[in-house]
Amino acid sequence: MRRLNALAERVATRLDQLAVRMVDAFVAEIPLYAHLPREQLEGEVLEICRHNLRLFFRLFSHDELPDEREILIVRRSAALRAEERVPLETVLAAYRVGTRIGWQQLCDDARPDERADLFEAAHLVITFNNVVTGAVAAAYLEERQAIHDEDREERRRLAEALLAGTPARRLAERADHRLADGYHVLAVRVESSVDERDEEVERAVAARRKLRRMEQSLADDAGHEPQPLSVLTPGGGMVLLPCTDPDDRDARAADVVARMAKAADAPVFAGLATGADPGGVPSAAAEADRVLGLAVRLNAEPGTYTLDDVLLEYVLSSAGDVGRRLADVLQPLESGPELVQTLAAWFANDFHRVPTAASLHIHPNTLDYRLTRICELTGYSVGSGRGVLVLGAALALQTLGRNHNERS
């Protein structure tokens, strides 16, 4: 190995020339480097090439791998590339090119009596490359994760500002996000995934993984600019879809919810409303949240719902004391639970006598008796227009209240 030490020391005397060759090779072989400023190539890039060549030749001349301080310089350079959004495969390609040039120069300069040692020491090249590229990849990915977390947090703060109705333009600039003219707001409820219900799986870990998958499904909302914003937890939250084509609102929202459900591996419910401009987002969010709550209380199937889907229930549940008084219309029927059940079946079957009786497993004459009894107890007939309106509204309010209590 002594002859190999001498070879490495001889080649190292031309280190500066080799570093220039490396930079030229980067420009010729790696497309992205051809577009870097000359100042950067001749400064920062050339300097890290010199540093890596010194480490490489010292491995052969002194049989020493880089120490932590020397690797730190390599890690810092990789972090800068991550910050510049240079792809990791491009960074690693540069290290492969640099190692090839250093090894080729050793082979070219080796004398006949040095070549045998050089062949036996080929494993050192692999060792060096593993140590350096491992450090490069780790530092690059750490920096990209930090940037991703920072970007995500800035976008989350922007979404929170829009939902709260506070100034958002400066936050949008910091997040590098172009504010939309308006937003479709999705209030989302996400049920537990299979993993979250599995006693063999750590629930908190499963929940975090579900959240990351849902956020990624929103990031994959291809073809729409600007991208959606969100404030999500594993159990749901708010999603802001920038208004693009008003005619595709419902279809786009349904697609987003379907992709979220697939990513979460869980049922997803959503209420949908639109803010015509950023200032309208808070009221749209309130409407979407109210729609979502009503859909859930009505035992609706997973999917997307708008105000039109729960219009009657929305109005009735907003009636306050008057609504409670309306719900009390059915209170006299509580003495016989089958009367409320009968009334619900009568409405569910669109006031058809035979189907209603069949659904209740009773004779039509028994149905007639019960309907007459309902009229006697409440003062409203199911055969009159006003009676149908009042009894139907009271029944809807009772259903909302019962389902709310069952879920509480």
Side-chain angles (χ1 to χ4, degrees), residues 67-112:
D67 59 30
E68 290 185 8
R69 179 183 56 82
E70 293 162 332
I71 286 294
L72 182 60
I73 296 174
V74 174
R75 288 177 59 87
R76 286 173 178 166
S77 177
L80 285 174
R81 300 293 82 77
E83 187 178 331
E84 295 166 354
R85 306 298 204 270
V86 176
L88 177 57
E89 57 268 28
T90 298
V91 178
L92 294 176
Y95 277 86
R96 289 195 297 270
V97 170
T99 302
R100 185 195 74 209
I101 289 175
W103 175 248
Q104 187 64 54
Q105 195 61 53
L106 287 172
C107 294
D108 291 345
D109 283 24
R111 297 166 181 165

Side-chain angles (χ1 to χ4, degrees), residues 54-65:
R54 280 192 291 269
L55 301 183
F56 183 74
F57 291 134
R58 194 186 66 194
L59 177 64
F60 293 94
S61 61
H62 295 85
D63 196 22
E64 290 181 12
L65 284 168

Side-chain angles (χ1 to χ4, degrees), residues 12 241 298:
L241 301 177
L298 289 168

Side-chain angles (χ1 to χ4, degrees), residues 18-285:
L18 284 173
V20 172
R21 275 183 54 195
M22 283 176 63
V23 173
D24 290 342
F26 296 164
V27 172
E29 300 180 30
I30 306 174
L32 185 144
Y33 277 83
H35 299 286
L36 292 180
R38 199 70 214 174
E39 178 184 358
Q40 184 178 7
L41 291 171
E42 295 175 354
E44 179 191 335
V45 176
L46 183 60
E47 185 53 42
I48 194 64
C49 287
R50 291 195 189 100
H51 177 74
N52 288 330
L53 282 169
R54 280 192 291 269
L55 301 183
F56 183 74
F57 291 134
R58 194 186 66 194
L59 177 64
F60 293 94
S61 61
H62 295 85
D63 196 22
E64 290 181 12
L65 284 168
D67 59 30
E68 290 185 8
R69 179 183 56 82
E70 293 162 332
I71 286 294
L72 182 60
I73 296 174
V74 174
R75 288 177 59 87
R76 286 173 178 166
S77 177
L80 285 174
R81 300 293 82 77
E83 187 178 331
E84 295 166 354
R85 306 298 204 270
V86 176
L88 177 57
E89 57 268 28
T90 298
V91 178
L92 294 176
Y95 277 86
R96 289 195 297 270
V97 170
T99 302
R100 185 195 74 209
I101 289 175
W103 175 248
Q104 187 64 54
Q105 195 61 53
L106 287 172
C107 294
D108 291 345
D109 283 24
R111 297 166 181 165
D113 61 335
E114 294 170 329
R115 287 175 183 165
D117 286 342
L118 192 60
F119 179 76
E120 292 177 7
H123 69 279
L124 293 177
V125 178
I126 299 174
T127 301
F128 176 85
N129 205 49
N130 287 342
V131 169
V132 174
T133 57
V136 166
Y140 182 98
L141 293 174
E142 287 171 10
E143 183 65 19
R144 286 301 302 153
Q145 185 61 50
I147 292 171
H148 172 74
D149 290 344
E150 183 178 344
D151 289 347
R152 182 175 61 181
E153 186 57 33
E154 287 182 349
R155 290 168 65 85
R156 184 185 182 91
R157 284 196 292 266
L158 173 58
E160 290 172 340
L162 288 168
L163 289 165
T166 56
R169 192 159 301 281
R170 184 170 297 180
L171 286 171
E173 292 173 356
R174 288 178 55 185
D176 194 24
H177 180 91
R178 179 173 60 83
L179 286 175
D181 294 334
Y183 289 89
H184 306 307
V185 183
L186 282 167
V188 179
R189 173 185 172 130
V190 185
E191 300 294 313
S192 296
S193 66
V194 175
D195 284 345
E196 288 177 292
R197 297 192 300 271
D198 189 341
E199 295 181 358
E200 300 297 322
V201 177
E202 177 61 43
R203 185 168 184 175
V205 174
R208 286 196 297 270
R209 288 174 60 84
K210 180 178 79 170
L211 176 59
R212 284 198 295 270
R213 294 195 304 269
M214 290 192 297
E215 290 178 334
Q216 185 58 52
S217 75
L218 292 177
D220 293 339
D221 190 33
H224 294 95
E225 263 315 313
Q227 291 291 302
L229 297 168
S230 66
V231 179
L232 289 175
T233 69
M238 290 286 179
V239 176
L240 306 183
L241 301 177
C243 296
T244 51
D245 180 357
D247 294 333
D248 76 346
R249 183 193 78 158
D250 292 352
R252 185 183 176 195
D255 177 63
V256 167
V257 169
R259 284 191 285 107
M260 286 184 67
K262 183 177 180 180
D265 191 22
V268 175
F269 303 82
L272 173 63
T274 298
D277 53 52
V281 168
S283 59

